[in-house]
Amino acid sequence: MNEQILNYAGAPTKFIEVEGIRYAYRSLGKQSDIPIVCLQHFTGTLDNWDPIVINGLAKERRVITIDNRGIGNSDGVTPDNVQDMTRDAIKIITALGVSKCDLLGFSLGGFIAQNIAVERPDLLRKIILVGTAPQGTKALYSFPKLVEKAAQLNNPMESYLFMFATKSEKSRAKLGATLRRLMERKRDRDKETSIPAIQEQVKALTRWGTDPVTVKLSEIRQPVLIIQGSNDEMMNSASSLELFNQITNAVLSYSPDAAHGSFFQYPEMFVEQANFFLNTFE
Amino acid sequence: MNEQILNYAGAPTKFIEVEGIRYAYRSLGKQSDIPIVCLQHFTGTLDNWDPIVINGLAKERRVITIDNRGIGNSDGVTPDNVQDMTRDAIKIITALGVSKCDLLGFSLGGFIAQNIAVERPDLLRKIILVGTAPQGTKALYSFPKLVEKAAQLNNPMESYLFMFATKSEKSRAKLGATLRRLMERKRDRDKETSIPAIQEQVKALTRWGTDPVTVKLSEIRQPVLIIQGSNDEMMNSASSLELFNQITNAVLSYSPDAAHGSFFQYPEMFVEQANFFLNTFE
């Protein structure tokens, strides 16, 4: 692996096979003992990470982005529940030869990160949870309705802004800039996530809200950084305060006039917070 | 003024006279167009700022710490209300030749900072509020009782920990280290705040909780950074979420297992957050 790549745009898509399934991933960044593994949001692929975020992390550590089962260029059938997605993510991480890592879990990826933290604490050093919520969050009941609304807009930019920005011009402009950054990579792009895979993800997300709580956050002993915007309708911004209250050693940061895509709206601030947290916080 | 002093321990106490009253202050740090003026907590003097915090800010900007009227080495009678304290602080800032500044308001100093923001927005660029609360916060009703409890401990270290740390060993150890840093300066120390001044401050703090709300936070247009610990009994940690919800452009950060002295418990993290906010956030 060429660890000298510091720019996400220059990180080629690679593949690793586990139990007969081929998974797509990218790896870049400064050589570090502990890499950070990035777990993506609903529908998102390797191409949905803001390069400012990935490059900012990669300056100080190895960064690995993965497509979970059935997402983007990864083969297999996407599971309809977070528990199976968790198992797949653990398999990929282990297959990549990683015995201890940090996690960045965004939204659905944050559900998986919480789950890994409880099921395989030995695998984790520190955890960053962005725009996510604990199991049993009622706001998720209306997730299918939000997805339907976004689809009805029938305009990729407007759907993106609907999911990630607030209604303010400032927030919309910032997330518009994010979306343009996501499109800068021209070659070796990931496949868009298929409709069937998206349908399974919707089930998994909704179930995270309705299932009985099995993921006991009070068991998490790792330092956790929780990042959220003031107005995340999808997860309910208050969910991050619940995460903070339940996790023993967590830092919580809210940013203003920001919705589900808060860390893409303030990517430089996120990089600053994340690198300090990963380098220094105990 | 010698602006080359980068270490708070080496910043001499200076005096400035305004309307016949002599105020004590210290000034240090890298030359900058916009200095940051630090407004201190209940009973606190120039010697109650954690040098890690002041030195960390001074690396990147001019830092001015002041004793408000009747506090430490400042003459005059301490007012029994935040409004008069606000007027005094504005007079000192203006007399120092500062026409625009950033503010760091800690606790009672945060009340004054909120008040300045609403009354003299022209004077301010950005505001940092630590361990503080909006006007009308009911938790302040029990402030006199907390002060009495702290006094009854009859042990300076235990009183300090009672006011600023949680009950955990980790938090107590960190605030114990802060108190030792506060004692490192041996010469040119400030006078301890007098009992009568403290009594007036108690009245002012309690009134901030009981007075009708005149300080309209929604009018604040400056970027604001709000810092709080998970367990600030004095201000009620939830008060910071109220500040965040009422102020248009605020970043909120909570740290774990921390009480009223949260930024002295995590001084390096605070310096990182504060310098990024002051240098970059808009």
Side-chain angles (χ1 to χ4, degrees), chain B residues 1-275:
Chain B
M1 248 173 271
N2 179 1
E3 298 298 344
Q4 302 315 306
I5 301 166
L6 290 175
N7 196 325
Y8 196 45
T13 307
K14 299 187 174 189
F15 295 91
I16 190 162
E17 200 175 302
V18 195
E19 299 175 6
I21 294 174
R22 207 178 70 136
Y23 292 97
Y25 73 98
R26 294 182 193 145
S27 172
L28 71 158
K30 189 179 153 188
Q31 186 56 45
S32 63
D33 289 342
I34 308 280
I36 185 161
V37 175
C38 304
L39 304 171
Q40 188 59 290
H41 66 76
F42 169 67
T43 75
T45 69
L46 302 177
D47 291 325
N48 288 88
W49 293 106
D50 188 337
I52 296 183
V53 164
I54 299 297
N55 296 345
L57 295 172
K59 261 193 193 166
E60 307 198 12
R61 70 202 73 251
R62 186 177 164 207
V63 182
I64 302 170
T65 58
I66 64 177
D67 275 336
N68 220 332
R69 182 141 58 99
I71 302 300
N73 275 320
S74 284
D75 295 340
V77 177
T78 297
D80 65 357
N81 64 85
V82 172
Q83 289 70 25
D84 286 343
M85 292 176 179
T86 301
R87 272 171 222 125
D88 294 332
I90 292 171
K91 280 179 202 167
I92 302 169
I93 292 168
T94 309
L96 288 169
V98 174
S99 59
K100 185 145 316 236
C101 66
D102 298 329
L103 284 182
L104 165 58
F106 177 24
S107 188
L108 172 61
F111 303 166
I112 298 170
Q114 293 170 55
N115 211 343
I116 297 177
V118 171
E119 301 208 350
R120 287 294 305 278
D122 60 296
L123 207 55
L124 303 187
R125 189 187 65 143
K126 298 183 181 183
I127 305 156
I128 302 177
L129 300 175
V130 182
T132 194
Q135 216 177 10
T137 293
K138 289 199 176 59
L140 293 168
Y141 293 8
S142 31
F143 186 71
K145 221 186 292 175
L146 280 179
V147 175
E148 209 181 320
K149 261 195 185 177
Q152 282 166 355
L153 292 169
N154 234 338
N155 172 322
M157 173 64 97
E158 283 304 323
S159 297
Y160 192 82
L161 297 180
F162 177 80
M163 296 301 266
F164 293 106
T166 72
K167 304 293 176 219
S168 83
E169 275 315 303
K170 191 173 163 185
S171 177
R172 286 171 55 86
K174 285 188 176 179
L175 268 297
T178 306
L179 186 56
R180 281 189 295 277
R181 286 193 295 274
L182 299 185
M183 305 310 289
E184 275 169 12
R185 183 183 180 112
K186 298 296 175 198
R187 293 170 53 177
D188 186 25
R189 283 186 71 86
D190 219 355
K191 273 195 297 204
E192 299 265 321
T193 298
S194 69
I195 300 289
I198 291 174
Q199 286 166 339
E200 298 309 290
Q201 284 189 324
V202 171
K203 286 184 208 158
L205 267 149
T206 313
R207 277 188 182 166
W208 187 255
T210 56
D211 270 355
V213 177
T214 54
V215 176
K216 299 217 161 50
L217 297 172
S218 59
E219 291 175 5
I220 298 178
R221 286 291 162 269
Q222 282 85 354
V224 177
L225 174 63
I226 303 165
I227 301 285
Q228 183 51 294
S230 56
N231 295 81
D232 184 350
E233 198 187 337
M234 203 182 299
M235 293 289 147
N236 186 1
S237 292
S239 302
S240 285
L241 193 63
E242 283 180 45
L243 289 170
F244 175 73
N245 287 333
Q246 291 184 55
I247 298 171
T248 306
N249 192 20
V251 173
L252 168 60
S253 178
Y254 279 115
S255 54
D257 182 25
H260 195 52
S262 68
F263 76 143
F264 290 170
Q265 182 166 336
Y266 300 98
E268 294 86 0
M269 181 164 77
F270 172 77
V271 166
E272 188 88 4
Q273 291 173 315
N275 278 331

Side-chain angles (χ1 to χ4, degrees), chain A residues 135-149:
Chain A
Q135 214 178 12
T137 293
K138 291 200 172 60
L140 293 168
Y141 293 7
S142 33
F143 186 72
K145 223 187 289 176
L146 280 178
V147 175
E148 210 181 318
K149 264 196 183 176

Side-chain angles (χ1 to χ4, degrees), chain A residues 144-166:
Chain A
K145 223 187 289 176
L146 280 178
V147 175
E148 210 181 318
K149 264 196 183 176
Q152 283 166 354
L153 293 169
N154 234 342
N155 171 323
M157 173 64 97
E158 284 303 324
S159 298
Y160 191 82
L161 296 180
F162 178 80
M163 296 300 266
F164 293 107
T166 72

